[in-house]
Amino acid sequence: MKARNTQIFRMTLLAGCLLCASTATFAAEVPPGTKLAATQTLVRNNGSEPASLDPHKVESDVEFNIIRDLFEGLVSVKPDGTIEPRLAEKWENKDSTVWTFHLRPGVTWSDGTAITAQNVVWSWQRLVDPKTGSPYASYPGNMHIVNAAEIAQGKQPPASLGVKALNDTTLEVTLTQPTAAFLAMLAHPSLVPVDKVLIGRFGDKWSRPEHFVASGAYKLSEWVVNEKIVAVRNARYWDDKHTVIDTVTYLPINAETADVNRYKAGEIDITNTIPVNQFAQLKKTLGDQVHISPQLATYYYQFNTTKAPFNDPRVRRALNMGLDKDIIATKVMGQGQRPAWVISQPEIGGVSLHNPDYAAWPEEKRLTEARRLLNEAGFNDAHPLTFNLLYNTMETHQRIAIAVSSMWKKNLGVEAKLQNQEWKTMLDTMHTGNFDAVRYAWIADYDDAATFLNTFRTGDSENTTGYSNPAYDAAMQNAAKAANVEERGKYYQQAEDILAQDVPAVPVYHYVRTHLVKPWVGGFTPDRLGYFLTKDIFIKKH
């Protein structure tokens, strides 16, 4: 799961550069001589029921897996890291701060109405508007779009966002400073345009199948809550000629054993994951059907730092020191995961980040220091630390939580009471601050440490820990202004060093992505973020 030592996105930042779509081939690429099945249908397990299919109301791969099939952004990032023109056919920039995008001629929604530059402007204004309540409201500010941060904070009106339609097909985006990852960040699902007229007419019900319009390769056909979501090929999609799969079904199966059993029964073509307790046996019996791919993602437990006892960094740091993360990564998981001591990744976006000093200490030294910190904070054998540890319902999360709570009990005398909730309920619990500690994870939105570290800044829309440290905020501000990768890496390291002392979240392991994939599924190529698109897939005759 080791990241390359260069950024996975390639872009030209010279003033006036122009990128055209004539060389683009981001679609299902069927090798010559391949015989295709007469029926092109795909069934993929999504792991959970999505909280919504409104791109501005969601925050996880549970929703983005589907949204990426239903909606198209201005650009996308190919699995090899190159930037691909999508709704935007070409673009140019001036001084890397004023970007002009030209939409493809004749591009439409699935109902045949035109997708315009005005759609993009309104959609991005809706995203940053505090009234929308988007978990990704801070994201355009991270891109340094003019006034985006101020709008998200309620200090400026949405109409002041530095994005304007020069005409129906031309969009101008103005940044406050050059942003190295700008094009890669632009590919995020929160930035896809949505239909103003539709949302105005149907409100929160606009994403139901009977109202829904799509801009992507597929359009919503059926949504049976907690049973399935079905999407069918969008004949009006601008690149439909390169799409092969006609119908895709997403199943919300969070029980990993049931996922595998239905795969074995032939009911699922691609599983959402592979249970850790079956991994070795499945690898032995199914061989090449077991797919393991790198993923820029970190599994962690985050604390509610706004209330006792987790408003005390000594308590949080002690719990970080009290885990044997090697055992969790290699024994509890054992699929190639790596123990994590940084929130981001050891290598990401051309930057190498090192662990805190205590990560290399002998285990007994770490545990001695952890006990000292807890005692100093008022917790000991006579007054043990007790709290609730929440995770979303899934077998692997339960397995990890049991291991973690056992380690804390054995090593520190801490009592972590396990609680589980369904995915959507857990997200609500997180955002309302009604938790002690909760299982979470972050999948990179782009190949740069900021995608992980921004979420712990004061006031960030994804900062559900309530953590705030001016020194940390300053490090991230300096990283955003850095002139080169080396300088940016220096500030990212400062930020990680602060997190290692304050520990608003305990990093547990760095991910790999695992799937079972039927032999007749072609074109399955997850990207570095762990996503794969249905439009890239085809079913071979079998």
Side-chain angles (χ1 to χ4, degrees):
M1 203 177 93
K2 200 168 186 179
R4 286 207 305 263
N5 200 33
T6 55
Q7 291 175 311
I8 63 167
F9 47 83
R10 302 186 191 114
M11 64 192 75
T12 306
L13 295 180
L14 299 176
C17 75
L18 193 67
L19 177 60
C20 299
S22 57
T23 59
T25 56
F26 193 16
E29 298 180 2
V30 183
T34 301
K35 293 184 178 180
L36 295 176
T39 303
Q40 290 291 319
T41 60
L42 180 74
V43 180
R44 47 188 287 189
N45 182 26
N46 196 49
S48 295
E49 176 71 15
S52 172
L53 288 180
D54 184 331
H56 297 159
K57 301 287 188 179
V58 299
E59 59 188 303
S60 80
D61 59 341
V62 171
E63 295 80 25
F64 292 152
N65 287 336
I66 303 173
I67 287 171
R68 286 171 181 266
D69 279 350
L70 301 177
F71 293 93
E72 191 89 302
L74 297 178
V75 304
S76 63
V77 181
K78 294 176 67 173
D80 67 1
T82 55
I83 301 296
E84 171 100 329
R86 303 311 292 167
L87 289 182
E89 181 182 43
K90 56 189 178 183
W91 55 86
E92 63 265 2
N93 78 78
K94 181 180 180 181
D95 300 327
S96 300
T97 57
V98 180
W99 292 78
T100 305
F101 295 88
H102 304 273
L103 300 188
R104 294 177 181 277
V107 69
T108 72
W109 299 102
S110 55
D111 65 356
T113 58
I115 298 175
T116 66
Q118 289 87 348
N119 286 137
V120 180
V121 172
W122 183 83
S123 299
W124 292 10
Q125 290 174 350
R126 180 178 184 255
L127 171 62
V128 296
D129 190 341
K131 294 179 182 178
T132 304
S134 175
Y136 271 85
S138 297
Y139 191 78
N142 298 341
M143 300 168 74
H144 304 293
I145 297 176
V146 167
N147 287 332
E150 291 78 7
I151 297 167
Q153 295 164 6
K155 298 176 182 178
Q156 291 284 346
S160 68
L161 186 66
V163 182
K164 63 181 179 180
L166 302 183
N167 53 50
D168 287 351
T169 60
T170 311
L171 181 78
E172 183 180 271
V173 183
T174 304
L175 310 182
T176 58
Q177 66 181 61
T179 304
F182 174 71
L183 285 176
M185 294 179 76
L186 195 61
H188 193 266
S190 64
L191 295 175
V192 300
V194 292
D195 191 335
K196 177 182 179 180
V197 173
L198 194 73
I199 294 172
R201 183 179 301 163
F202 298 110
D204 290 341
K205 298 179 181 179
W206 75 269
S207 57
R208 292 184 177 180
E210 61 267 28
H211 306 314
F212 194 88
V213 297
S215 58
Y218 297 89
K219 58 183 180 180
L220 191 61
S221 172
E222 186 179 1
W223 188 350
V224 182
V225 175
N226 292 322
E227 183 180 329
K228 64 181 179 180
I229 290 176
V230 180
V232 297
R233 192 164 164 178
N234 174 15
R236 289 193 170 99
Y237 176 53
W238 71 268
D239 199 27
D240 179 58
K241 66 181 179 181
H242 290 126
T243 305
V244 178
I245 297 293
D246 292 316
T247 305
V248 54
T249 300
Y250 312 86
L251 302 178
I253 304 170
N254 58 34
E256 295 163 298
T257 300
D259 189 10
V260 170
N261 288 342
R262 292 183 67 171
Y263 176 87
K264 290 179 176 178
E267 299 174 17
I268 295 175
D269 298 306
I270 304 174
T271 67
N272 185 59
T273 186
I274 301 177
V276 293
N277 60 346
Q278 297 185 45
F279 181 78
Q281 181 62 26
L282 290 170
K283 182 70 175 172
K284 181 178 179 180
T285 57
L286 296 181
D288 291 344
Q289 295 181 54
V290 174
H291 283 247
I292 307 169
S293 55
Q295 187 175 23
L296 298 177
T298 304
Y299 191 106
Y300 52 80
Y301 288 105
Q302 63 179 33
F303 301 113
N304 186 340
T305 68
T306 65
K307 68 176 187 179
F310 297 121
N311 58 348
D312 189 334
R314 294 172 298 184
V315 173
R316 306 192 302 256
R317 190 158 70 249
L319 291 175
N320 192 27
M321 291 180 168
L323 293 184
D324 189 330
K325 300 177 185 182
D326 291 289
I327 286 180
I328 295 171
T330 61
K331 303 297 184 183
V332 178
M333 297 302 293
Q335 299 169 320
Q337 291 84 355
R338 297 173 297 162
W341 291 94
V342 294
I343 287 290
S344 181
Q345 303 284 299
E347 290 89 23
I348 184 170
V351 169
S352 295
L353 299 170
H354 60 73
N355 293 333
D357 291 342
Y358 59 74
W361 290 358
E363 181 183 23
E364 192 49 47
K365 180 180 179 180
R366 267 206 312 271
L367 296 182
T368 298
E369 174 64 8
R371 296 184 196 109
R372 185 192 71 78
L373 288 168
L374 283 178
N375 188 63
E376 194 177 273
F379 298 102
N380 47 45
D381 291 341
H383 182 220
L385 172 63
T386 302
F387 64 93
N388 294 322
L389 182 64
L390 177 64
Y391 63 93
N392 58 297
T393 305
M394 187 172 284
E395 293 156 19
T396 294
H397 299 326
Q398 180 184 43
R399 183 183 176 99
I400 296 168
I402 290 172
V404 165
S405 61
S406 297
M407 289 178 183
W408 280 334
K409 179 70 172 178
K410 175 185 175 183
N411 296 335
L412 306 177
V414 169
E415 186 73 32
K417 299 177 181 179
L418 303 188
Q419 296 179 331
N420 66 292
Q421 294 177 345
E422 293 303 312
W423 175 246
K424 290 191 289 186
T425 304
M426 191 192 82
L427 290 179
D428 288 340
T429 300
M430 281 174 48
H431 283 283
T432 56
N434 189 27
F435 68 95
D436 296 332
V438 60
R439 190 289 316 178
Y440 203 50
W442 193 260
I443 299 172
D445 294 317
Y446 49 97
D447 186 18
D448 189 89
T451 185
F452 293 92
L453 301 179
N454 279 338
T455 62
F456 293 96
R457 295 172 308 167
T458 302
D460 189 274
S461 57
E462 281 286 359
N463 185 357
T464 47
T465 68
Y467 172 69
S468 179
N469 184 327
Y472 181 82
D473 296 341
M476 293 307 297
Q477 288 170 0
N478 289 331
K481 297 175 183 177
N484 53 58
V485 171
E486 291 73 24
E487 185 181 357
R488 196 158 66 245
K490 179 182 72 174
Y491 291 117
Y492 288 153
Q493 187 63 62
Q494 287 182 10
E496 285 282 10
D497 290 345
I498 293 170
L499 291 183
Q501 294 303 308
D502 289 355
V503 195
V506 171
V508 180
Y509 65 80
H510 300 299
Y511 274 68
V512 293
R513 193 71 191 262
T514 59
H515 301 273
L516 293 175
V517 183
K518 290 296 186 183
W520 51 78
V521 174
F524 177 77
T525 309
D527 63 20
R528 295 280 291 172
L529 310 184
Y531 294 104
F532 61 94
L533 302 179
T534 301
K535 70 182 178 64
D536 298 334
I537 290 174
F538 53 91
I539 304 298
K540 293 176 278 189
K541 188 176 181 179
H542 59 280

